[in-house]
Amino acid sequence: MAGIAPGKAEGQGGDALLRLVADNVPALIAYYEPKNLSCVFANKAYAESNGWTVDSIIGKTVREAIGEKAWLMIEPQVARVLKGERVDYVRPMNLPNGEQRVIEVHLIPHFDGQAQMLGAFVLITDITRHRLAERSVRESEERLRKFAEATREGIFFHKNGVLADVNEALLQICGYAREEMIGTKVLEFVPPEWHLTMIEFMRREREEPYEAEIVHKKGHKIAVEIAAKTVYVNGEAQRLGALRDITARKHAEARIHYLAHHDMLTGLPNRAYLTERLTTILALARRHGTLVAIMFIDLDNFKTVNDTLGHHVGDALLKEVAARIKVVLREADMVSRLGGDEFLVILADFATPEDAGKVADKLLQTISAPIVLECHELYANASIGISVFPRDGDNPEDLIRHADAAMYSAKDHGRGHSRFYTPGLSSEGAEMMAREARLREALQLGEFVLYYQPQRSVQDLRLVGIEALVRWRHPERGLIDPSEFIEFAETRGLIDEIGHYVLREACRQNKAWQQAGFDAMPISVNVSAVQFRRGDLVAAVTRVLDETGLQARYLELELTEGLLMDTEIVGAALAGLRALGVTITIDDFGTGYSSLSYLKRYPIDKLKIDRSFIGDLGTDVDDRAIAAAIINLAKTLNLTALAEGVERQEQLDFLRAHGCDEFQGYLAGNPVPAEEFAAFARP
Ligand code: C2E
Ligand code: MG
Ligand code: MG
């Protein structure tokens, strides 16, 4: 029978067809009669899986057919069938080849019309594969859960927006207990402003990650990144989502954004941010037809402060200035630091350009009020250039450039002022660069020369000293006064080189005069505050004296009062110079803003009364009083008093009457080139 092909079965008897079917279904089939429990029918699979053939198994009892071990296992089930019960059970089965299978057994009693049991069908299916599949599903679910619990990502399932399952991490992130979350709507854990986004992602079954927020049980929002996808569980669509707390990343991003847009020192927006904002502000102004003013603010004396007091004081000054600017501005305005000592203000809330001018004046006033930093009293004067939208430009670049040009123009026309942009100014920036380049060239070409002015004794008009005054001998423009380039050189960092040239040349000339047999006397050299930088002035002076062979007592340095802010660097430099034996003079005394205490504190030898007090000595009561007071002060402190700018005899008479020691001015002699000075010096 085993060899019968399906085709041959046709036309054969019912037994043959039954046999054909029975041997080809994937099941084990047998039939036992109830009296002796002997086998009446078995298909091939049943017989062979018990170690028989279809023929040899016939007539065997169940016990014989399946073996002793299996019999013990099924005996109770057989008893139940014999009572007429249908029995289904699952049991392991050992195949003759030793293979282990799991089978599902159905024992079905067979009755005749009178409920008389005729036999029992045995139907066995091999469910080993199902079992394995089931187990693997269970294991994979287990693995998945373990994985879900191990990850720090919050994982959730929801069906139609109602949470079906969540992992431990999600509970941790949200602060809820599992039973509080499961069965609750997803949106209850989401702030209202994110509802639309989430619904959109759910509805469209979008799977790309997106950023949103959820609400912690305590009420605070948590930034999260969510990625969800639709999965089918038992044929039902569910959303499986993973969510990660990105608070730290958000903070880092915000910090990076802040860093990219702000100046670290002052905390003000930086140029990048300002340009960005300005674009928006201009767009609004264009729509509303309003004005916007751009103010370019530059501190006039910042470099000096930085150089003489050190960077920490410079930094503190910038912070203070930033704070002061903010105080003046309104909510709608904005200030940023462009770097260095440059600030840029956007004024958005004003009616006429004149109003902007008034704000600029207020800024100047506020900035210039004394600032006390680490016991130093500082003055931060500023110059402001203003450009107005739409009059002076319609884009950020032009407006800033024009405000910058106006600022340079303001500086040029005397510091501490504000100036509006006017067409034609814009070339000034380029002009500055050209000017600086030309000045450097002048240094290299040796176009700077010294003029010398005599200083005489008030008592007997005897020549007692010489002041060296620098001039620029310009090949086309002729002789240019220092007022035209010293301040410019200071702001452009050129004064060191010019100053060094002057110092060396003055010392060399004085030594040359001495060697030529003229009376030895001190030569005065004007020193810019900037030259006090890092205290290397003492070293420079030492070197120059060395190189020229001039004795220190024949060199006098003139410092302006402004420099004498109470600082360690200046103090140390002055002490160093005094130790060398160099004389120290305060130039333009009475015009600066320093306190008098430094006169006692610092090693100072001479006061030069500023020529503004000398000019009207004949007529102005105040000037007479001031000049007299300075002479007295000098006497009290044991300092030499020298009057500058003495042009007329009556001035000299006044000075003589009040006991002034020395004088300088056209009355004593104009500044002249070295060759001509010999006439004054000749005994
Ligand atoms: P200062 O040191 O107070 O120099 C005196 C100025 O008064 C000189 O102007 C001089 O020419 C001028 N003067 C002299 N006698 C009279 C007079 O009787 N009446 C009037 N009205 N003026 C008189 P100058 O040479 O143009 O120098 C101007 C300023 O430039 C100087 O003021 C000084 O502060 C600065 N300066 C000159 N040379 C140098 C230098 O080599 N280095 C530095 N850092 N500054 C210098
Ligand atoms: Mg001088
Ligand atoms: Mg002077």
Side-chain angles (χ1 to χ4, degrees), residues 453 467-471 481-482 486 495 502 526-528 531 558 587-588 611 644-647 665-666 671:
Q453 185 175 35
E467 180 172 8
L469 295 159
V470 71
R471 302 280 179 270
D481 280 347
I486 289 292
I495 195 65
V502 172
N526 294 281
V527 178
S528 158
Q531 289 175 265
E558 294 191 8
D587 204 352
D588 306 338
R611 61 178 178 277
E644 287 187 304
V646 179
E647 299 175 356
Y666 301 153

PDB file of all heavy atoms in Angstrom, residues 453 467-471 481-482 486 495 502 526-528 531 558 587-588 611 644-647 665-666 671, ligand 1:
ATOM      1  N   GLN A 453      62.158 124.558  21.744  1.00  0.00           N
ATOM      2  CA  GLN A 453      61.708 125.837  22.283  1.00  0.00           C
ATOM      3  C   GLN A 453      62.414 126.088  23.618  1.00  0.00           C
ATOM      4  O   GLN A 453      62.486 125.198  24.464  1.00  0.00           O
ATOM      5  CB  GLN A 453      60.190 125.821  22.489  1.00  0.00           C
ATOM      6  CG  GLN A 453      59.666 127.182  22.925  1.00  0.00           C
ATOM      7  CD  GLN A 453      58.146 127.223  23.006  1.00  0.00           C
ATOM      8  OE1 GLN A 453      57.498 126.248  23.369  1.00  0.00           O
ATOM      9  NE2 GLN A 453      57.584 128.383  22.679  1.00  0.00           N
ATOM     10  N   GLU A 467      62.384 122.495  25.319  1.00  0.00           N
ATOM     11  CA  GLU A 467      61.353 121.482  25.063  1.00  0.00           C
ATOM     12  C   GLU A 467      61.444 121.037  23.615  1.00  0.00           C
ATOM     13  O   GLU A 467      61.514 121.864  22.702  1.00  0.00           O
ATOM     14  CB  GLU A 467      59.936 122.000  25.346  1.00  0.00           C
ATOM     15  CG  GLU A 467      58.897 120.906  25.067  1.00  0.00           C
ATOM     16  CD  GLU A 467      57.470 121.237  25.496  1.00  0.00           C
ATOM     17  OE1 GLU A 467      57.207 122.383  25.895  1.00  0.00           O
ATOM     18  OE2 GLU A 467      56.621 120.328  25.417  1.00  0.00           O
ATOM     19  N   ALA A 468      61.477 119.749  23.451  1.00  0.00           N
ATOM     20  CA  ALA A 468      61.508 119.188  22.100  1.00  0.00           C
ATOM     21  C   ALA A 468      60.071 118.998  21.632  1.00  0.00           C
ATOM     22  O   ALA A 468      59.263 118.392  22.334  1.00  0.00           O
ATOM     23  CB  ALA A 468      62.241 117.843  22.113  1.00  0.00           C
ATOM     24  N   LEU A 469      59.748 119.551  20.463  1.00  0.00           N
ATOM     25  CA  LEU A 469      58.386 119.443  19.924  1.00  0.00           C
ATOM     26  C   LEU A 469      58.465 118.843  18.525  1.00  0.00           C
ATOM     27  O   LEU A 469      59.214 119.321  17.682  1.00  0.00           O
ATOM     28  CB  LEU A 469      57.725 120.824  19.885  1.00  0.00           C
ATOM     29  CG  LEU A 469      57.508 121.443  21.275  1.00  0.00           C
ATOM     30  CD1 LEU A 469      57.340 122.949  21.189  1.00  0.00           C
ATOM     31  CD2 LEU A 469      56.297 120.809  21.956  1.00  0.00           C
ATOM     32  N   VAL A 470      57.704 117.822  18.325  1.00  0.00           N
ATOM     33  CA  VAL A 470      57.817 117.106  17.061  1.00  0.00           C
ATOM     34  C   VAL A 470      57.032 117.833  15.959  1.00  0.00           C
ATOM     35  O   VAL A 470      56.018 118.479  16.198  1.00  0.00           O
ATOM     36  CB  VAL A 470      57.345 115.642  17.226  1.00  0.00           C
ATOM     37  CG1 VAL A 470      55.835 115.562  17.402  1.00  0.00           C
ATOM     38  CG2 VAL A 470      57.790 114.777  16.048  1.00  0.00           C
ATOM     39  N   ARG A 471      57.543 117.731  14.743  1.00  0.00           N
ATOM     40  CA  ARG A 471      56.873 118.285  13.555  1.00  0.00           C
ATOM     41  C   ARG A 471      56.962 117.247  12.450  1.00  0.00           C
ATOM     42  O   ARG A 471      57.883 116.421  12.433  1.00  0.00           O
ATOM     43  CB  ARG A 471      57.581 119.563  13.048  1.00  0.00           C
ATOM     44  CG  ARG A 471      57.679 120.686  14.047  1.00  0.00           C
ATOM     45  CD  ARG A 471      56.359 121.450  14.131  1.00  0.00           C
ATOM     46  NE  ARG A 471      56.409 122.541  15.100  1.00  0.00           N
ATOM     47  CZ  ARG A 471      56.078 122.398  16.389  1.00  0.00           C
ATOM     48  NH1 ARG A 471      55.706 121.217  16.862  1.00  0.00           N
ATOM     49  NH2 ARG A 471      56.126 123.426  17.205  1.00  0.00           N
ATOM     50  N   ASP A 481      51.839 120.468  12.357  1.00  0.00           N
ATOM     51  CA  ASP A 481      51.897 120.503  13.824  1.00  0.00           C
ATOM     52  C   ASP A 481      51.472 119.167  14.430  1.00  0.00           C
ATOM     53  O   ASP A 481      50.645 118.462  13.862  1.00  0.00           O
ATOM     54  CB  ASP A 481      50.954 121.589  14.352  1.00  0.00           C
ATOM     55  CG  ASP A 481      51.596 122.969  14.243  1.00  0.00           C
ATOM     56  OD1 ASP A 481      52.822 123.025  14.002  1.00  0.00           O
ATOM     57  OD2 ASP A 481      50.858 123.957  14.383  1.00  0.00           O
ATOM     58  N   PRO A 482      51.985 118.860  15.629  1.00  0.00           N
ATOM     59  CA  PRO A 482      51.636 117.588  16.275  1.00  0.00           C
ATOM     60  C   PRO A 482      50.135 117.439  16.542  1.00  0.00           C
ATOM     61  O   PRO A 482      49.623 116.322  16.579  1.00  0.00           O
ATOM     62  CB  PRO A 482      52.426 117.601  17.580  1.00  0.00           C
ATOM     63  CG  PRO A 482      52.944 118.977  17.729  1.00  0.00           C
ATOM     64  CD  PRO A 482      52.978 119.605  16.381  1.00  0.00           C
ATOM     65  N   ILE A 486      49.369 113.580  16.492  1.00  0.00           N
ATOM     66  CA  ILE A 486      49.711 112.833  17.709  1.00  0.00           C
ATOM     67  C   ILE A 486      48.536 111.994  18.214  1.00  0.00           C
ATOM     68  O   ILE A 486      48.661 110.790  18.454  1.00  0.00           O
ATOM     69  CB  ILE A 486      50.192 113.788  18.838  1.00  0.00           C
ATOM     70  CG1 ILE A 486      51.578 114.336  18.489  1.00  0.00           C
ATOM     71  CG2 ILE A 486      50.220 113.077  20.194  1.00  0.00           C
ATOM     72  CD1 ILE A 486      52.693 113.314  18.504  1.00  0.00           C
ATOM     73  N   ILE A 495      52.058 105.688  18.187  1.00  0.00           N
ATOM     74  CA  ILE A 495      52.738 106.678  19.021  1.00  0.00           C
ATOM     75  C   ILE A 495      54.014 106.118  19.642  1.00  0.00           C
ATOM     76  O   ILE A 495      54.959 106.860  19.896  1.00  0.00           O
ATOM     77  CB  ILE A 495      51.785 107.226  20.111  1.00  0.00           C
ATOM     78  CG1 ILE A 495      52.358 108.504  20.732  1.00  0.00           C
ATOM     79  CG2 ILE A 495      51.501 106.189  21.169  1.00  0.00           C
ATOM     80  CD1 ILE A 495      52.462 109.655  19.778  1.00  0.00           C
ATOM     81  N   VAL A 502      61.367 110.463  18.908  1.00  0.00           N
ATOM     82  CA  VAL A 502      61.524 111.786  19.524  1.00  0.00           C
ATOM     83  C   VAL A 502      62.492 111.710  20.702  1.00  0.00           C
ATOM     84  O   VAL A 502      63.401 112.536  20.843  1.00  0.00           O
ATOM     85  CB  VAL A 502      60.150 112.351  19.981  1.00  0.00           C
ATOM     86  CG1 VAL A 502      60.344 113.633  20.784  1.00  0.00           C
ATOM     87  CG2 VAL A 502      59.241 112.588  18.779  1.00  0.00           C
ATOM     88  N   ASN A 526      57.970 115.269  25.446  1.00  0.00           N
ATOM     89  CA  ASN A 526      56.570 114.940  25.753  1.00  0.00           C
ATOM     90  C   ASN A 526      56.351 113.437  25.589  1.00  0.00           C
ATOM     91  O   ASN A 526      56.722 112.862  24.560  1.00  0.00           O
ATOM     92  CB  ASN A 526      55.629 115.687  24.807  1.00  0.00           C
ATOM     93  CG  ASN A 526      55.696 117.182  25.039  1.00  0.00           C
ATOM     94  OD1 ASN A 526      55.105 117.701  25.968  1.00  0.00           O
ATOM     95  ND2 ASN A 526      56.469 117.875  24.202  1.00  0.00           N
ATOM     96  N   VAL A 527      55.764 112.851  26.599  1.00  0.00           N
ATOM     97  CA  VAL A 527      55.513 111.413  26.529  1.00  0.00           C
ATOM     98  C   VAL A 527      54.005 111.157  26.557  1.00  0.00           C
ATOM     99  O   VAL A 527      53.293 111.668  27.416  1.00  0.00           O
ATOM    100  CB  VAL A 527      56.179 110.675  27.708  1.00  0.00           C
ATOM    101  CG1 VAL A 527      55.860 109.188  27.652  1.00  0.00           C
ATOM    102  CG2 VAL A 527      57.675 110.901  27.671  1.00  0.00           C
ATOM    103  N   SER A 528      53.568 110.399  25.600  1.00  0.00           N
ATOM    104  CA  SER A 528      52.143 110.054  25.537  1.00  0.00           C
ATOM    105  C   SER A 528      51.813 108.984  26.567  1.00  0.00           C
ATOM    106  O   SER A 528      52.631 108.134  26.887  1.00  0.00           O
ATOM    107  CB  SER A 528      51.821 109.539  24.138  1.00  0.00           C
ATOM    108  OG  SER A 528      50.657 108.755  24.168  1.00  0.00           O
ATOM    109  N   GLN A 531      52.577 105.466  25.830  1.00  0.00           N
ATOM    110  CA  GLN A 531      53.952 104.970  25.927  1.00  0.00           C
ATOM    111  C   GLN A 531      54.265 104.339  27.279  1.00  0.00           C
ATOM    112  O   GLN A 531      55.293 103.701  27.438  1.00  0.00           O
ATOM    113  CB  GLN A 531      54.946 106.112  25.649  1.00  0.00           C
ATOM    114  CG  GLN A 531      54.962 106.526  24.188  1.00  0.00           C
ATOM    115  CD  GLN A 531      55.850 107.727  23.956  1.00  0.00           C
ATOM    116  OE1 GLN A 531      55.386 108.847  23.937  1.00  0.00           O
ATOM    117  NE2 GLN A 531      57.146 107.495  23.813  1.00  0.00           N
ATOM    118  N   GLU A 558      57.742 115.002  30.040  1.00  0.00           N
ATOM    119  CA  GLU A 558      56.489 115.721  30.304  1.00  0.00           C
ATOM    120  C   GLU A 558      55.305 114.770  30.142  1.00  0.00           C
ATOM    121  O   GLU A 558      55.095 114.213  29.074  1.00  0.00           O
ATOM    122  CB  GLU A 558      56.328 116.892  29.328  1.00  0.00           C
ATOM    123  CG  GLU A 558      57.380 117.964  29.525  1.00  0.00           C
ATOM    124  CD  GLU A 558      57.060 119.243  28.753  1.00  0.00           C
ATOM    125  OE1 GLU A 558      55.952 119.339  28.188  1.00  0.00           O
ATOM    126  OE2 GLU A 558      57.931 120.123  28.720  1.00  0.00           O
ATOM    127  N   ASP A 587      52.634 118.277  32.435  1.00  0.00           N
ATOM    128  CA  ASP A 587      52.358 119.223  31.352  1.00  0.00           C
ATOM    129  C   ASP A 587      50.908 119.701  31.444  1.00  0.00           C
ATOM    130  O   ASP A 587      50.063 118.989  31.982  1.00  0.00           O
ATOM    131  CB  ASP A 587      52.579 118.507  30.011  1.00  0.00           C
ATOM    132  CG  ASP A 587      52.893 119.478  28.893  1.00  0.00           C
ATOM    133  OD1 ASP A 587      52.805 120.705  29.104  1.00  0.00           O
ATOM    134  OD2 ASP A 587      53.253 118.988  27.796  1.00  0.00           O
ATOM    135  N   ASP A 588      50.657 120.856  30.913  1.00  0.00           N
ATOM    136  CA  ASP A 588      49.277 121.374  30.822  1.00  0.00           C
ATOM    137  C   ASP A 588      48.551 121.284  32.157  1.00  0.00           C
ATOM    138  O   ASP A 588      47.368 120.933  32.213  1.00  0.00           O
ATOM    139  CB  ASP A 588      48.475 120.594  29.761  1.00  0.00           C
ATOM    140  CG  ASP A 588      49.172 120.572  28.414  1.00  0.00           C
ATOM    141  OD1 ASP A 588      50.022 121.461  28.167  1.00  0.00           O
ATOM    142  OD2 ASP A 588      48.894 119.665  27.604  1.00  0.00           O
ATOM    143  N   ARG A 611      48.793 126.857  29.199  1.00  0.00           N
ATOM    144  CA  ARG A 611      48.799 128.197  28.608  1.00  0.00           C
ATOM    145  C   ARG A 611      47.405 128.821  28.561  1.00  0.00           C
ATOM    146  O   ARG A 611      47.271 130.026  28.384  1.00  0.00           O
ATOM    147  CB  ARG A 611      49.440 128.213  27.230  1.00  0.00           C
ATOM    148  CG  ARG A 611      48.792 127.364  26.170  1.00  0.00           C
ATOM    149  CD  ARG A 611      49.568 127.569  24.863  1.00  0.00           C
ATOM    150  NE  ARG A 611      49.028 126.731  23.799  1.00  0.00           N
ATOM    151  CZ  ARG A 611      49.358 125.460  23.624  1.00  0.00           C
ATOM    152  NH1 ARG A 611      50.222 124.881  24.431  1.00  0.00           N
ATOM    153  NH2 ARG A 611      48.831 124.770  22.648  1.00  0.00           N
ATOM    154  N   GLU A 644      53.544 128.213  30.691  1.00  0.00           N
ATOM    155  CA  GLU A 644      53.606 127.971  29.245  1.00  0.00           C
ATOM    156  C   GLU A 644      52.903 129.106  28.516  1.00  0.00           C
ATOM    157  O   GLU A 644      52.004 129.737  29.066  1.00  0.00           O
ATOM    158  CB  GLU A 644      52.809 126.717  28.876  1.00  0.00           C
ATOM    159  CG  GLU A 644      53.402 125.407  29.242  1.00  0.00           C
ATOM    160  CD  GLU A 644      52.554 124.288  28.630  1.00  0.00           C
ATOM    161  OE1 GLU A 644      51.332 124.222  28.876  1.00  0.00           O
ATOM    162  OE2 GLU A 644      53.132 123.485  27.889  1.00  0.00           O
ATOM    163  N   GLY A 645      53.243 129.289  27.253  1.00  0.00           N
ATOM    164  CA  GLY A 645      52.498 130.219  26.386  1.00  0.00           C
ATOM    165  C   GLY A 645      52.629 131.679  26.785  1.00  0.00           C
ATOM    166  O   GLY A 645      51.696 132.458  26.617  1.00  0.00           O
ATOM    167  N   VAL A 646      53.755 132.011  27.311  1.00  0.00           N
ATOM    168  CA  VAL A 646      53.952 133.418  27.700  1.00  0.00           C
ATOM    169  C   VAL A 646      54.337 134.207  26.453  1.00  0.00           C
ATOM    170  O   VAL A 646      55.365 133.949  25.837  1.00  0.00           O
ATOM    171  CB  VAL A 646      55.040 133.551  28.788  1.00  0.00           C
ATOM    172  CG1 VAL A 646      55.253 135.009  29.166  1.00  0.00           C
ATOM    173  CG2 VAL A 646      54.666 132.710  30.000  1.00  0.00           C
ATOM    174  N   GLU A 647      53.476 135.159  26.073  1.00  0.00           N
ATOM    175  CA  GLU A 647      53.700 135.898  24.831  1.00  0.00           C
ATOM    176  C   GLU A 647      53.968 137.372  25.093  1.00  0.00           C
ATOM    177  O   GLU A 647      54.570 138.062  24.266  1.00  0.00           O
ATOM    178  CB  GLU A 647      52.464 135.739  23.920  1.00  0.00           C
ATOM    179  CG  GLU A 647      52.186 134.288  23.531  1.00  0.00           C
ATOM    180  CD  GLU A 647      50.904 134.124  22.725  1.00  0.00           C
ATOM    181  OE1 GLU A 647      50.182 135.111  22.515  1.00  0.00           O
ATOM    182  OE2 GLU A 647      50.623 132.982  22.303  1.00  0.00           O
ATOM    183  N   GLY A 665      57.444 130.250  25.933  1.00  0.00           N
ATOM    184  CA  GLY A 665      56.458 130.924  25.085  1.00  0.00           C
ATOM    185  C   GLY A 665      57.158 131.802  24.074  1.00  0.00           C
ATOM    186  O   GLY A 665      58.396 131.920  24.075  1.00  0.00           O
ATOM    187  N   TYR A 666      56.378 132.420  23.211  1.00  0.00           N
ATOM    188  CA  TYR A 666      56.971 133.207  22.133  1.00  0.00           C
ATOM    189  C   TYR A 666      57.838 134.350  22.679  1.00  0.00           C
ATOM    190  O   TYR A 666      58.793 134.777  22.044  1.00  0.00           O
ATOM    191  CB  TYR A 666      55.874 133.747  21.211  1.00  0.00           C
ATOM    192  CG  TYR A 666      55.026 132.637  20.580  1.00  0.00           C
ATOM    193  CD1 TYR A 666      53.712 132.865  20.194  1.00  0.00           C
ATOM    194  CD2 TYR A 666      55.566 131.368  20.381  1.00  0.00           C
ATOM    195  CE1 TYR A 666      52.947 131.857  19.618  1.00  0.00           C
ATOM    196  CE2 TYR A 666      54.803 130.347  19.812  1.00  0.00           C
ATOM    197  CZ  TYR A 666      53.495 130.593  19.444  1.00  0.00           C
ATOM    198  OH  TYR A 666      52.745 129.594  18.888  1.00  0.00           O
ATOM    199  N   PRO A 671      59.411 127.781  18.990  1.00  0.00           N
ATOM    200  CA  PRO A 671      60.053 126.511  18.672  1.00  0.00           C
ATOM    201  C   PRO A 671      60.780 126.658  17.330  1.00  0.00           C
ATOM    202  O   PRO A 671      60.199 127.199  16.385  1.00  0.00           O
ATOM    203  CB  PRO A 671      58.870 125.545  18.536  1.00  0.00           C
ATOM    204  CG  PRO A 671      57.723 126.204  19.227  1.00  0.00           C
ATOM    205  CD  PRO A 671      57.934 127.663  19.044  1.00  0.00           C
TER     206      PRO A 671
HETATM  207  P1  C2E B   1      52.796 121.155  24.846  1.00  0.00           P
HETATM  208  O1  C2E B   1      53.711 120.077  25.304  1.00  0.00           O
HETATM  209  O2  C2E B   1      52.034 121.860  25.866  1.00  0.00           O
HETATM  210  O3  C2E B   1      53.653 122.045  23.921  1.00  0.00           O
HETATM  211  C1  C2E B   1      53.540 123.397  23.919  1.00  0.00           C
HETATM  212  C2  C2E B   1      52.805 123.834  22.719  1.00  0.00           C
HETATM  213  O4  C2E B   1      52.546 125.242  22.811  1.00  0.00           O
HETATM  214  C3  C2E B   1      53.594 123.632  21.425  1.00  0.00           C
HETATM  215  O5  C2E B   1      52.700 123.394  20.412  1.00  0.00           O
HETATM  216  C4  C2E B   1      54.182 124.999  21.203  1.00  0.00           C
HETATM  217  O6  C2E B   1      54.473 125.259  19.855  1.00  0.00           O
HETATM  218  C5  C2E B   1      53.072 125.898  21.678  1.00  0.00           C
HETATM  219  N1  C2E B   1      53.585 127.208  22.124  1.00  0.00           N
HETATM  220  C6  C2E B   1      54.823 127.530  22.538  1.00  0.00           C
HETATM  221  N2  C2E B   1      54.899 128.836  22.900  1.00  0.00           N
HETATM  222  C7  C2E B   1      53.664 129.336  22.708  1.00  0.00           C
HETATM  223  C8  C2E B   1      53.100 130.655  22.892  1.00  0.00           C
HETATM  224  O7  C2E B   1      53.721 131.615  23.339  1.00  0.00           O
HETATM  225  N3  C2E B   1      51.781 130.771  22.602  1.00  0.00           N
HETATM  226  C9  C2E B   1      51.053 129.741  22.121  1.00  0.00           C
HETATM  227  N4  C2E B   1      49.778 129.958  21.843  1.00  0.00           N
HETATM  228  N5  C2E B   1      51.531 128.504  21.915  1.00  0.00           N
HETATM  229  C10 C2E B   1      52.837 128.320  22.220  1.00  0.00           C
HETATM  230  P2  C2E B   1      52.963 122.200  19.453  1.00  0.00           P
HETATM  231  O8  C2E B   1      54.383 122.062  19.171  1.00  0.00           O
HETATM  232  O9  C2E B   1      52.014 122.319  18.347  1.00  0.00           O
HETATM  233  O10 C2E B   1      52.593 120.968  20.329  1.00  0.00           O
HETATM  234  C11 C2E B   1      51.311 120.768  20.714  1.00  0.00           C
HETATM  235  C12 C2E B   1      51.244 119.644  21.652  1.00  0.00           C
HETATM  236  O11 C2E B   1      51.595 118.444  20.980  1.00  0.00           O
HETATM  237  C13 C2E B   1      52.235 119.713  22.775  1.00  0.00           C
HETATM  238  O12 C2E B   1      51.750 120.505  23.796  1.00  0.00           O
HETATM  239  C14 C2E B   1      52.341 118.283  23.184  1.00  0.00           C
HETATM  240  O13 C2E B   1      51.279 117.958  24.047  1.00  0.00           O
HETATM  241  C15 C2E B   1      52.178 117.571  21.886  1.00  0.00           C
HETATM  242  N6  C2E B   1      53.481 117.169  21.408  1.00  0.00           N
HETATM  243  C16 C2E B   1      54.410 117.885  20.776  1.00  0.00           C
HETATM  244  N7  C2E B   1      55.475 117.139  20.509  1.00  0.00           N
HETATM  245  C17 C2E B   1      55.233 115.924  20.980  1.00  0.00           C
HETATM  246  C18 C2E B   1      55.970 114.703  21.037  1.00  0.00           C
HETATM  247  O14 C2E B   1      57.104 114.595  20.590  1.00  0.00           O
HETATM  248  N8  C2E B   1      55.391 113.628  21.618  1.00  0.00           N
HETATM  249  C19 C2E B   1      54.151 113.727  22.152  1.00  0.00           C
HETATM  250  N9  C2E B   1      53.633 112.635  22.715  1.00  0.00           N
HETATM  251  N10 C2E B   1      53.423 114.837  22.135  1.00  0.00           N
HETATM  252  C20 C2E B   1      53.969 115.951  21.559  1.00  0.00           C
END
